Amino acid sequence: MIEGMRVLALSHFVQGPAASQYLADLGADVVKVEPPAGSWERRAGSAGIRVAGHSVTHLSVNRNKRSLAVDLKHPDAQAVLRPLIERADVLMENYRGGALDRLGFGYDAVRAIKPDIVYASATGWGSRGPMAGRPGVDLLVQARSGLAAATGSAGRPGAAGTPVVDHHGAALLAMGVLAAYARRLVTGEGTRVEASLLGAGLDLQAESLALFHSGRRTAADLDRPAELACWAIDAPYGIYPLRDGGSVAIAISGPMAGFGAALGEPALDAFDPVARRERRDEYVALLRPVLAALSFDEVDARLGPGGFWFERVAGYDDLAADPQIVAEGLFTEVDGGPERATVLRHPVRYDGELPAVRRSPAGLGEHSVEVLAEAGLDAAAIAGFVASGAVVDGGAGAVGPSGAASGPGADGAAGDGATGVAGDRARAAGPVTQ
């Protein structure tokens, strides 16, 4: 769909790589530019889970891309990347503010090479204000954006349970790039696109925040029984435990005539919508033991015929065999060498089809020579860059199955965090997003 788009992706962690993966899924030629030791999600990843030595975090956000391994601190880095920038439509990055400027690849420097470039930056907190230079990761943004307060219950904040801000931030960054690219096709002008995890965290709560502030509510209004899923929606909207050890989600907030009678508790039907909002604690206290005495099959038999909205709460171990998920084809496997990794596919259909997985996630520097040759560098120049340590040629066996380079600069040390990330994500001093 966007096969003509050329993207240089200088990104680590999840938000940046996932954003460029969306573009790669849609046909863009995405070259992932990594330090000699590999990007964070390749080297470390989450939970230490690996398939045949490959980080599954890396495998989940880097399909359909090519890999070019370059030491951005090397004196030859400018000569390596300049011809690629000249050919690129988009440069995406999520390095700490100022790091790429110091290395000569900031917005002004890149725009001087390619005036119509779409230069897309992802940060944790944005590029302005007192927190602009601080590292920002998903959990910290959940905390600062109010999402943790809204997710918890009874005054106890709680995390969403998965890095939702990272993935929403990736989708927003990809959307911004697509909008800027469309503008470029029409006007010939480049655009600086700036996205942040803070913006993504707030955007996830757009309706809730509008209701809170427009309704002049206070923090006390967010407190609610643990079963209720949202402070702003009438009971019984939430999740309730069942007799069989499972749980049921009930998503009714409109007409509920006969709901209580169907469950065998007519007293529930005495609550009109105003009462279900203003006396929600009382309503939940009445509903809780009713559902706790039923299995899901019994709930299904009682509520299903009435057209009420409810669903079984699935666990992760249920999803791969879920008939609806199978019908939609949303899981797939990618090659991890002698093993296969299970990952999600691109989530949107186009003319009835999901985009194909054209390439498994690349080995570190697997396409270095290929990409540089396409950019017009001759074999002698490329060989010189490899010999000097400016470039890692993964296609020549410089990378083992773990993704750790064995060539020059393999430790990826970078004092300012620009070309490598040491330690865990919570103390990352380099890229500012997860």
Side-chain angles (χ1 to χ4, degrees), residues 72-316:
L72 297 184
K73 287 189 148 185
H74 196 282
D76 291 336
Q78 291 278 347
V80 172
L81 288 185
R82 183 182 181 96
L84 276 73
I85 293 171
E86 291 173 343
R87 300 171 74 247
D89 301 299
V90 179
L91 187 148
M92 303 175 72
E93 61 90 13
N94 66 325
Y95 280 67
R96 185 173 62 178
L100 288 184
D101 292 287
R102 289 190 294 273
L103 294 170
F105 300 106
Y107 172 67
D108 291 334
V110 170
R111 190 169 180 269
I113 298 171
K114 181 75 170 178
D116 61 349
I117 195 76
V118 173
Y119 192 102
S121 298
T123 63
W125 305 105
S127 60
R128 300 158 182 80
M131 297 182 69
R134 292 177 58 176
V137 296
D138 183 284
L139 180 59
L140 301 184
V141 173
Q142 287 194 44
R144 188 63 179 258
S145 69
L147 183 58
T151 301
S153 61
R156 182 178 180 180
T162 187
V164 293
V165 177
D166 272 343
H167 291 280
H168 185 55
L172 293 179
L173 181 60
M175 179 182 72
V177 169
L178 289 171
Y181 184 62
R183 176 193 187 203
R184 182 175 181 268
L185 292 176
V186 173
T187 68
E189 299 176 3
T191 304
R192 184 168 193 180
V193 177
E194 297 178 82
S196 71
L197 290 181
L198 177 61
L202 292 170
D203 189 63
L204 282 169
Q205 306 170 80
E207 179 195 21
S208 187
L209 290 171
L211 292 169
F212 182 90
H213 290 286
S214 300
R216 308 296 190 268
R217 300 303 175 90
T218 68
D221 291 297
L222 271 63
D223 289 347
R224 60 193 184 278
E227 291 83 1
L228 293 183
C230 180
W231 71 272
I233 300 180
D234 306 344
Y237 188 90
I239 294 176
Y240 299 81
L242 299 171
R243 187 190 73 228
D244 56 10
S247 298
V248 62
I250 298 179
I252 313 166
S253 58
M256 293 183 59
F259 176 76
L263 289 175
E265 182 50 84
L268 290 167
D269 292 330
F271 289 73
D272 62 17
V274 174
R276 286 190 285 110
R277 182 180 313 125
E278 296 182 352
R279 297 163 53 203
R280 63 186 183 184
D281 291 15
E282 181 182 343
Y283 185 96
V284 170
L286 185 61
L287 176 59
R288 184 187 296 123
V290 173
L291 291 172
L294 301 174
S295 68
F296 181 81
D297 288 342
E298 290 168 333
V299 172
D300 189 16
R302 297 185 184 203
L303 296 183
F308 298 108
W309 294 3
F310 66 97
E311 191 51 78
R312 184 195 306 270
V313 175
Y316 271 23

Side-chain angles (χ1 to χ4, degrees), residues 21-98:
Q21 179 174 267
Y22 285 132
L23 303 178
D25 288 345
L26 297 178
D29 178 12
V30 177
V31 174
K32 181 176 177 64
V33 180
E34 305 183 64
S39 58
W40 177 89
E41 78 280 2
R42 180 191 294 279
R43 293 183 291 107
S46 298
I49 297 173
R50 308 183 82 82
V51 169
H54 297 276
S55 158
V56 173
T57 299
H58 165 71
L59 297 178
S60 70
V61 293
N62 284 298
R63 64 172 171 260
N64 291 332
K65 306 176 190 178
R66 297 189 286 173
S67 173
L68 167 64
V70 179
D71 181 356
L72 297 184
K73 287 189 148 185
H74 196 282
D76 291 336
Q78 291 278 347
V80 172
L81 288 185
R82 183 182 181 96
L84 276 73
I85 293 171
E86 291 173 343
R87 300 171 74 247
D89 301 299
V90 179
L91 187 148
M92 303 175 72
E93 61 90 13
N94 66 325
Y95 280 67
R96 185 173 62 178

